[in-house]
Amino acid sequence: MSKGTVENMATLSTDLFYDILKRLDGATLASASCACAAFSSMSKEERLWQNVCSSMWPSTKRDDVKNLISQIGGFKKFYADCFPLIVNKNVSEFTWRDYPEYAEELTEAEYYGDFDEFQNVSPSDFVFIVDIRYKDKSICSKVIWGIPNANGFNGWFSNCPFRIDLFSFSDQGDDHTGGVTLSIDDGLPLVTSMERERKDGKLWQELRDEIRLSWIVVNTKAKKAANLSSWSPLGGQRHWPTEKDFLLRFGSILPAEDILPCQMVECILAMKFQVTEASGVQTTLKLTELCMQLGDMEGAHVNGRNSLLVLNEALSCNRSKNYNLALESCHLYSKVQSEIKEEKMRYESRLDKLWILGGITIFVTLFCYFM
């Protein structure tokens, strides 16, 4: 860059600098802050990061969410916490032999972990900020304050499987009280019939490629936030449980050290669409379900007590702006989970054969003895 160019930049007004920066996305804005002193100074402006967050997560436009973000450190910190996805690098070395069984002699306190630590985490501390996009267009935004129906530590919530169903709870100020639908106006391909869709899977493939989910958890007491979603689908099932249903699965792998014997759990975010119309002139999908659960290596759902501790731990775990790493850790977890299941089935099959062989041996021995 020539000396004349630098001098010309120095004469540019602050308003022009701001006008340039406000058009950038978060990653580009962060890179621009390293370009020169002027950009570095202006990139600290909260209004810029508020624009970035509003563009990426439309739910942050709500006044109550703006106040929440201000209380936990501002929009720049919120973006830095929630844009990178959770990455668990400890999955690759995990095998079935490393998976400990729950010993029968464990006390309730040992089984559930540190009760004092649990008392420091309250369901009311958590806020969930959810945004769904299709082809870069927002189709649903919802905020849940606290964990629904978690009526104290001594209630059913602590020991029952943890689950949050997004559309089972009304939310004051939510604009999406009606059904969330997609049609050809939103970019869906035209499907003439479900029989045709079963053959070519065009609608299913389009949905998997273009749908995006962000599920942010915020701890108001700890003033931390994290994105629990994988952003793009990890997998799914089409025509399940009926031929008109499409099930998509998002999620992440969360650390559970000193909380559960399996050391890590899967955050399962399930999204279900139903085809409400498939004709030669219109194709319509309706979002019928969106829920979150935590599952361990054996596929069992984690209870409410341990889920609070895991969610709290997730706020401080490793993250990466490389979304491929996040997807890789999720796929690796599924692979290890399948290998563990298969190896355990083989082990149990060998035990069954030994028991049968032992029983036959005892029977033959007794038969020969009495004969």
Side-chain angles (χ1 to χ4, degrees):
M1 184 179 291
S2 66
K3 181 178 179 181
T5 304
V6 174
E7 290 176 350
N8 290 335
M9 287 188 63
T11 62
L12 294 177
S13 68
T14 302
D15 291 338
L16 183 56
F17 273 146
Y18 181 82
D19 189 62
I20 294 172
L21 295 179
K22 75 177 183 180
R23 302 173 187 273
L24 306 179
D25 59 27
T28 309
L29 179 59
S31 300
S33 66
C34 303
C36 64
F39 281 177
S40 177
S41 176
M42 290 207 64
S43 65
K44 299 176 183 178
E45 174 61 48
E46 272 291 288
R47 289 180 298 169
L48 292 173
W49 293 103
Q50 181 176 340
N51 291 338
V52 169
C53 291
S54 298
S55 176
M56 189 163 192
W57 303 294
S59 53
T60 60
K61 296 178 182 179
R62 294 173 37 153
D63 291 337
D64 52 354
V65 178
K66 289 180 182 179
N67 293 334
L68 170 66
I69 295 175
S70 298
Q71 293 170 8
I72 65 173
F75 284 92
K76 184 177 182 179
K77 180 179 181 296
F78 182 81
Y79 180 87
D81 287 342
C82 301
F83 178 74
L85 297 183
I86 293 174
V87 175
N88 196 319
K89 300 180 180 180
N90 300 324
V91 180
S92 58
E93 302 299 326
F94 200 87
T95 65
W96 176 71
R97 296 298 180 184
D98 299 323
Y99 190 90
E101 298 286 346
Y102 290 108
E104 294 181 359
E105 62 271 14
L106 285 181
T107 65
E108 183 178 0
E110 292 172 328
Y111 179 88
Y112 288 121
D114 190 348
F115 189 77
D116 291 336
E117 182 181 357
F118 173 69
Q119 287 182 315
N120 292 329
V121 182
S122 170
S124 60
D125 293 339
F126 293 95
V127 179
F128 299 97
I129 303 173
V130 182
D131 288 283
I132 307 174
R133 306 180 77 94
Y134 179 73
K135 291 192 173 181
D136 207 31
K137 175 186 176 182
S138 176
I139 62 172
C140 178
S141 294
K142 192 171 179 68
V143 180
I144 295 181
W145 297 84
I147 296 178
N149 295 336
N151 299 318
F153 297 106
N154 296 323
W156 62 269
F157 169 80
S158 298
N159 300 318
C160 289
F162 174 79
R163 177 186 172 98
I164 294 180
D165 195 329
L166 196 70
F167 297 112
S168 295
F169 308 99
S170 60
D171 182 29
Q172 185 176 2
D174 199 334
D175 295 332
H176 298 274
T177 54
V180 179
T181 60
L182 289 173
S183 67
I184 58 175
D185 295 333
D186 300 305
L188 285 181
L190 185 63
V191 177
T192 56
S193 67
M194 289 307 301
E195 182 179 355
R196 181 68 179 176
E197 169 60 21
R198 281 195 300 270
K199 292 180 179 179
D200 57 31
K202 185 178 180 181
L203 178 61
W204 165 248
Q205 189 62 45
E206 185 78 10
L207 190 62
R208 284 195 58 178
D209 291 344
E210 300 296 340
I211 200 75
R212 298 292 182 265
L213 171 66
S214 172
W215 189 302
I216 295 172
V217 56
V218 180
N219 188 315
T220 56
K221 183 184 294 183
K223 296 185 178 181
K224 294 180 180 180
N227 199 334
L228 301 176
S229 179
S230 52
W231 192 238
S232 57
L234 299 172
Q237 292 175 280
R238 63 172 179 152
H239 311 310
W240 188 91
T242 72
E243 68 169 9
K244 292 187 176 182
D245 290 316
F246 295 144
L247 179 66
L248 296 165
R249 183 174 58 85
F250 303 78
S252 55
I253 308 305
L254 309 181
E257 297 178 6
D258 303 324
I259 301 174
L260 292 170
C262 58
Q263 303 296 307
M264 63 191 77
V265 300
E266 181 182 14
C267 177
I268 306 166
L269 303 173
M271 178 188 297
K272 186 183 293 184
F273 281 92
Q274 186 176 74
V275 179
T276 57
E277 184 177 355
S279 61
V281 295
Q282 182 61 276
T283 301
T284 307
L285 289 176
K286 181 180 180 181
L287 181 61
T288 58
E289 181 180 323
L290 180 57
C291 65
M292 179 181 75
Q293 291 179 297
L294 301 183
D296 64 14
M297 275 285 187
E298 290 189 329
H301 291 148
V302 182
N303 62 28
R305 181 197 302 258
N306 290 328
S307 294
L308 289 184
L309 297 177
V310 171
L311 290 176
N312 197 55
E313 187 72 18
L315 298 170
S316 304
C317 62
N318 295 325
R319 300 168 220 191
S320 174
K321 295 179 182 178
N322 186 345
Y323 285 9
N324 290 330
L325 290 179
L327 295 174
E328 182 181 343
S329 67
C330 292
H331 291 309
L332 186 57
Y333 180 91
S334 297
K335 180 181 178 182
V336 173
Q337 192 178 40
S338 299
E339 292 174 351
I340 290 174
K341 184 178 180 179
E342 293 173 359
E343 188 172 351
K344 189 171 184 179
M345 290 177 63
R346 288 194 294 267
Y347 176 76
E348 292 176 348
S349 178
R350 289 194 294 266
L351 285 181
D352 290 340
K353 292 178 181 178
L354 288 175
W355 279 107
I356 294 172
L357 181 61
I360 294 174
T361 303
I362 293 173
F363 175 79
V364 171
T365 301
L366 292 176
F367 180 80
C368 294
Y369 175 78
F370 286 110
M371 289 298 291

